[in-house]
Amino acid sequence: MERHPDSLWAVTAEPDPGHPPLEGQTSAEICVVGAGFTGLSAALALAERGLDVVVVEANTPGWGASGRNGGQVIPGLKQDPDALLAAFGDEAGARLASFAGSTPQILFDIVRRHAITCDAFEGGWLQPAHAEAGLDTIRARAAQWRPYGADIVELDRAETARLVGSEHYVGALLDRRGGSIQPLSFARGLARAAAGLGARIHGDSPATSLVREDGQWRVTTPRGSVRARRVVLATNGYSGPLQPALMRSVVPVFSFQVATEPLSDNIAATILPEGHPASDTRRLLWYFRKVGRNRLLMGGRGYRKDKLDAADTRVLQAALRRLYPQLGEIRFSHHWGGRVAMTADHLPHLHEIEEGLFAGLGFNGRGVAMGTAMGTVLARVAAGEPAEEMPLPVTPLRPIRLHALHSPVVHALTAYYRWQDARERRAMAT
């Protein structure tokens, strides 16, 4: 079992209640593989239904992306409603759009219902425009979401500067559906709530094999096994050889974050004064928020590795200097990385791989809200509800062709996108 990365979340999270390894043979109605937001929210929803559920996790709840992300609770998908209607038709597209827009509410409802302590902020999410092209993006986004009842406001340059605390941006979208959480505390809160309702959660229990036997599934771990009628795979960007085709259906992209030393009160008061999290319109977006005792957290596209050293933080240090010159000398207390799972169509995928074997993954950087909501959908299908009643289409599992080539392609695109973002900023200045 690997320890959590040395992140700000790891040192400020609610205590881990501890989840012992699976020992010996057991049985359950449903076995969930993976204890991130998706697996834990699925386990919680199943336990709320009174179903017997066992969760096996290779490390500890929240160890992967769920405990390493920026904690931004963002509504919607990478694709806006018009694209969903074009891809799925008016009825199915509108159903998916409505669901995607509701995912923050699903998360915050869970927080309230189970009294999860995770510094939840429901005051909205900012998407600042880095250039004129970004303004076009947020105008189109706002127009497409309003028919779905979204509480969205377009901000001019002056109001954007006030809410961000920087003159860097030319405008912004304020989506009041969004917000933020302490992600590792939320994961641990989900685990505590699920266990309180009877779910059996086992850490240090990687699933090493998955086989169908006599009409049931057997999930084997190093020291035990689970027999279950149905299995939910909730491994996202950390999917491995347990289901090779599932692993090849997404491309892991690395993201990383830094947290500053506590800022002085007078400097902190100038930055995001109303507490909004923000992620901008760059192709290689900057995302940032204030946390804890006046610290500033910032993240961006990372290197092709989980474990970073101090030298790897220089690109974000330069970004912070451009964004907030009032910071002066910038000192980081923590830096860490993790994986985002990208899909070829930039949409989350819900699969029934075989009879009684389900998976949901591919959140494309929107995994806090969407990953949590996906868990509730997986609980529904695993409990036997018809696939046609789900808000997402249940699709066959299709590995990405030439999967091994996608990682170097993504690396090349990263450099190209960085050039494009810089070019748009330069054009704005001329």
Side-chain angles (χ1 to χ4, degrees):
M1 182 171 69
E2 295 188 44
R3 63 187 294 271
H4 278 283
D6 183 25
S7 69
L8 181 63
W9 305 137
V11 298
T12 61
E14 292 292 301
D16 185 348
H19 301 280
L22 177 66
E23 302 276 0
Q25 297 182 2
T26 191
S27 61
E29 291 177 87
I30 299 166
C31 179
V32 176
V33 179
F37 294 157
T38 301
L40 291 169
S41 66
L44 175 57
L46 290 164
E48 287 180 311
R49 290 170 174 252
L51 295 171
D52 183 25
V53 57
V54 169
V55 180
V56 293
E57 160 61 40
N59 292 284
T60 61
W63 176 86
S66 295
R68 307 183 191 204
N69 61 79
Q72 298 201 14
V73 182
I74 302 174
L77 300 165
K78 291 292 185 183
Q79 308 277 28
D80 287 323
D82 285 0
L84 301 180
L85 296 178
F88 298 102
D90 290 350
E91 183 178 347
R95 184 166 64 246
L96 177 54
S98 295
F99 172 70
S102 73
T103 56
Q105 194 61 52
I106 292 171
L107 183 151
F108 291 128
D109 284 348
I110 292 171
V111 169
R112 282 188 290 273
R113 190 163 69 249
H114 296 282
I116 296 176
T117 302
C118 59
D119 300 327
F121 169 80
E122 298 185 57
W125 162 72
L126 284 170
Q127 186 174 36
H130 73 291
E132 291 296 325
L135 282 178
D136 294 338
T137 297
I138 63 176
R139 286 171 185 146
R141 178 158 293 148
Q144 290 181 45
W145 277 109
R146 285 195 184 105
Y148 294 85
D151 189 357
I152 291 178
V153 179
E154 294 174 56
L155 307 178
D156 62 17
R157 189 164 195 157
E159 183 64 3
T160 299
R162 186 185 74 81
L163 289 180
V164 176
S166 171
E167 300 286 343
H168 184 78
Y169 295 108
V170 296
L173 175 151
L174 171 59
D175 192 327
R176 294 196 177 99
R177 297 173 295 177
S180 63
I181 54 170
Q182 210 281 22
L184 186 53
S185 288
F186 178 59
R188 289 175 175 174
L190 285 172
R192 187 178 290 106
L197 291 174
R200 290 170 282 161
I201 302 174
H202 297 283
D204 195 14
S205 300
T208 56
S209 74
L210 174 65
V211 295
R212 184 84 166 161
E213 298 176 340
D214 302 324
Q216 291 194 314
W217 291 95
R218 179 183 292 277
V219 180
T220 303
T221 70
R223 286 175 279 182
S225 65
V226 184
R227 285 180 63 87
R229 290 188 304 110
R230 296 178 178 181
V231 171
V232 168
L233 301 179
T235 48
N236 202 40
Y238 293 83
S239 297
L242 185 71
Q243 274 285 305
L246 186 68
M247 179 177 64
R248 295 195 302 271
S249 73
V250 295
V251 176
V253 173
F254 293 86
S255 183
F256 76 112
Q257 295 163 73
V258 293
T260 67
E261 296 284 357
L263 308 175
S264 66
D265 288 344
N266 62 324
I267 293 293
T270 69
I271 296 172
L272 298 165
E274 295 188 10
H276 298 102
S279 45
D280 68 19
T281 56
R282 286 177 165 82
R283 294 168 183 82
L284 299 181
L285 61 84
W286 296 351
Y287 57 95
F288 48 97
R289 53 181 286 211
K290 257 189 329 195
V291 294
R293 292 178 51 248
N294 290 351
R295 294 180 191 266
L296 183 60
L297 180 148
M298 187 170 194
R301 182 67 56 84
Y303 305 89
R304 287 188 283 181
K305 57 183 179 179
D306 276 332
K307 297 178 181 179
L308 308 172
D309 56 41
D312 295 325
T313 68
R314 287 178 295 190
V315 64
L316 289 186
Q317 191 170 61
L320 275 176
R321 286 197 183 101
R322 292 172 61 192
L323 186 55
Y324 293 116
Q326 66 266 43
L327 289 173
E329 184 180 1
I330 301 169
R331 298 179 186 275
F332 297 139
S333 61
H334 300 83
H335 57 271
W336 65 97
R339 302 179 198 174
V340 175
M342 308 295 285
T343 56
D345 59 6
H346 304 293
L347 293 171
H349 293 171
L350 174 62
H351 303 297
E352 184 170 10
I353 301 171
E354 296 182 42
E355 182 183 353
L357 179 60
F358 305 94
L361 76 172
F363 307 122
N364 299 279
R366 298 287 180 96
V368 177
M370 180 54 75
T372 302
M374 176 67 86
T376 68
V377 176
L378 283 165
R380 292 174 60 188
V381 293
E385 292 189 29
E388 58 269 20
E389 295 181 6
M390 296 304 110
L392 297 89
V394 180
T395 59
L397 178 58
R398 293 190 178 95
I400 297 171
R401 294 182 66 243
L402 303 175
H403 182 268
L405 299 179
H406 278 71
S407 183
V409 168
V410 167
H411 187 65
L413 282 174
T414 297
Y416 174 69
Y417 289 157
R418 186 170 286 117
W419 174 81
Q420 284 276 72
D421 290 336
R423 183 178 65 85
E424 288 173 354
R425 286 288 299 179
R426 288 194 299 270
M428 188 180 67
T430 59

